[in-house]
Amino acid sequence: TPILGRFLPYAVLLWSVLRFDRFHFYCDRGILVSPEPFTFNWDELRLLKKLKKEVFCWAYGGDVRSRNRTEALGQYNCCNECPEPMKFCICEQSKADEYAALLGEYTNAVFSMGDMIHYTPNSINDVFYWPVELDALDGKKYQAAVPQADSSQALRIVHAPNNRAFKGSRYLIEAVEQLQQEGVAIDLHLIEGMTNKEALKLYQEADVLFDQCLIGFHGYTSQEAMALGKPVVCYIRDPSQYILEPDSCPIVSATPKDLKEILRGLASDRKRVHKLGAAGRRYIEHNHTPIHFARRLQLAYKKLEVEAGHSC
């Protein structure tokens, strides 16, 4: 209700400051309602700093992206076909710069990764968050289902676009339709408007997951797909900067220009599809479980302690 919605955040903040020493937020808001999209209620951060609470912010994408820096990244980026500028990202460069400066003033650190590092000056970029809990539901949720190397069925591609324009979904749809017209055995399943349980079933039955071909970095869905033993097709602009252990990461990078031929190659080489799927599962097991993430975060904390000269 409006009245409860107005006062409840303040009650939660009061409870939190009495109970906790460390706060983790995304970069676009805290506990209190923000005065405008993609910003904090700065009184909240001032209070936390005054109370000597530790505050850490984590970039997820739209909370830090600005149009100028995005377009400067190159030909393919998430501004190429944005349907509504200013709605999905912070967009304005002056606003983004001012915002980054305020985060630097009121937080202990900002964590970033992938293409997001270009928008977060002085951020910590080697923690590589988004871990996958392989033991979820007694291991059943992410039970590996690597595609068969000798399959004679059509290559099943799944794609879960939270925004088709940003993901380059139309390029995928066009590529699959053209390949089908050429007689290539390939099918596409779009995951939209369904429950998590329904979506997970499609992931488990898939041969390949397509993430995106414009943004330049993968999302959490790619992590989940690799955990399930599925090959991932996703445009990675700069693997050496964006990816943890890039030489062992099996993500197949694709842009709109080469997407069709990459899909054609996967459809005709099921042994490669099998190998990529198995490699993806190993990659998650060796790099992106909660314990691996926790170790990287612990190292980051220790570095911050040394820089600050006290325990963090």
Side-chain angles (χ1 to χ4, degrees):
T1 63
I3 295 178
L4 182 62
R6 182 177 180 180
F7 292 103
L8 183 59
Y10 289 92
V12 173
L13 179 60
L14 176 61
W15 170 79
S16 298
V17 297
L18 293 173
R19 183 180 176 91
F20 300 111
D21 300 310
R22 181 175 291 158
F23 290 75
H24 291 267
F25 300 122
Y26 285 119
C27 289
D28 59 356
R29 71 161 289 176
I31 297 171
L32 299 184
V33 177
S34 309
E36 57 181 310
F38 305 109
T39 64
F40 275 87
N41 183 318
W42 297 109
D43 288 337
E44 176 181 359
L45 291 189
R46 292 187 187 99
L47 173 65
L48 293 175
K49 184 173 183 178
K50 187 173 183 179
L51 294 175
K52 301 188 184 312
K53 303 295 183 180
E54 296 170 4
V55 179
F56 302 94
C57 283
W58 302 77
Y60 69 80
D63 56 341
V64 295
R65 289 193 182 106
S66 59
R67 191 173 189 88
N68 287 356
R69 286 183 182 162
T70 299
E71 292 178 335
L73 293 176
Q75 179 181 4
Y76 301 113
N77 59 71
C78 59
C79 289
N80 284 161
E81 301 179 16
C82 178
E84 297 180 71
M86 307 295 294
K87 180 178 180 180
F88 302 102
C89 301
I90 196 167
C91 281
E92 291 183 50
Q93 190 60 56
S94 59
K95 182 178 178 181
D97 290 341
E98 178 184 3
Y99 189 51
L102 287 168
L103 286 181
E105 179 180 355
Y106 290 118
T107 67
N108 293 74
V110 173
F111 294 96
S112 192
M113 65 177 176
D115 70 305
M116 294 172 278
I117 66 176
H118 301 294
Y119 313 93
T120 53
N122 303 314
S123 57
I124 297 174
N125 304 329
D126 58 359
V127 173
F128 295 99
Y129 35 105
W130 297 346
V132 182
E133 179 51 82
L134 296 178
D135 295 329
L137 300 179
D138 296 324
K140 295 178 181 178
K141 182 175 182 179
Y142 295 115
Q143 184 174 354
V146 179
Q148 296 180 358
D150 58 353
S151 175
S152 60
Q153 297 180 342
L155 187 76
R156 294 165 296 181
I157 300 175
V158 295
H159 174 47
N162 56 356
N163 188 304
R164 289 194 180 193
F166 295 148
K167 300 289 187 177
S169 302
R170 74 177 181 90
Y171 297 105
L172 172 65
I173 294 171
E174 291 171 3
V176 170
E177 289 178 347
Q178 290 172 12
L179 290 170
Q180 289 173 335
Q181 292 170 5
E182 295 172 15
V184 177
I186 188 170
D187 291 325
L188 173 61
H189 299 275
L190 294 175
I191 298 179
E192 296 175 309
M194 63 181 67
T195 65
N196 289 338
K197 185 176 181 180
E198 292 169 334
L200 184 61
K201 186 174 185 296
L202 285 179
Y203 291 146
Q204 292 168 335
E205 295 173 349
D207 294 311
V208 174
L209 177 125
F210 173 86
D211 189 333
Q212 56 77 27
C213 60
L214 291 177
I215 295 175
F217 184 54
H218 67 79
Y220 190 68
T221 303
S222 288
Q223 304 271 92
E224 292 185 296
M226 286 190 285
L228 289 167
K230 308 300 181 179
V232 172
V233 175
C234 178
Y235 172 40
I236 305 297
R237 182 178 292 108
D238 187 349
S240 64
Q241 284 196 87
Y242 293 3
I243 300 294
L244 178 62
E245 295 191 6
D247 291 340
S248 63
C249 180
I251 292 177
V252 180
S253 186
T255 67
K257 185 177 180 180
D258 56 13
L259 176 60
K260 178 181 173 181
E261 294 310 311
I262 285 174
L263 296 180
R264 186 197 303 277
L266 292 174
S268 64
D269 189 350
R270 303 307 282 269
K271 290 183 179 180
R272 184 182 179 221
V273 171
H274 174 82
K275 290 179 180 179
L276 288 170
R281 174 70 182 201
R282 290 194 300 271
Y283 179 75
I284 295 297
E285 290 174 341
H286 295 163
N287 296 288
H288 289 290
T289 65
I291 189 63
H292 287 98
F293 163 68
R295 288 168 180 164
R296 293 192 293 270
L297 182 58
Q298 184 180 41
L299 288 175
Y301 283 152
K302 288 182 178 178
K303 290 179 182 178
L304 290 170
E305 289 175 8
V306 171
E307 293 172 1
H310 61 78
S311 178
C312 181

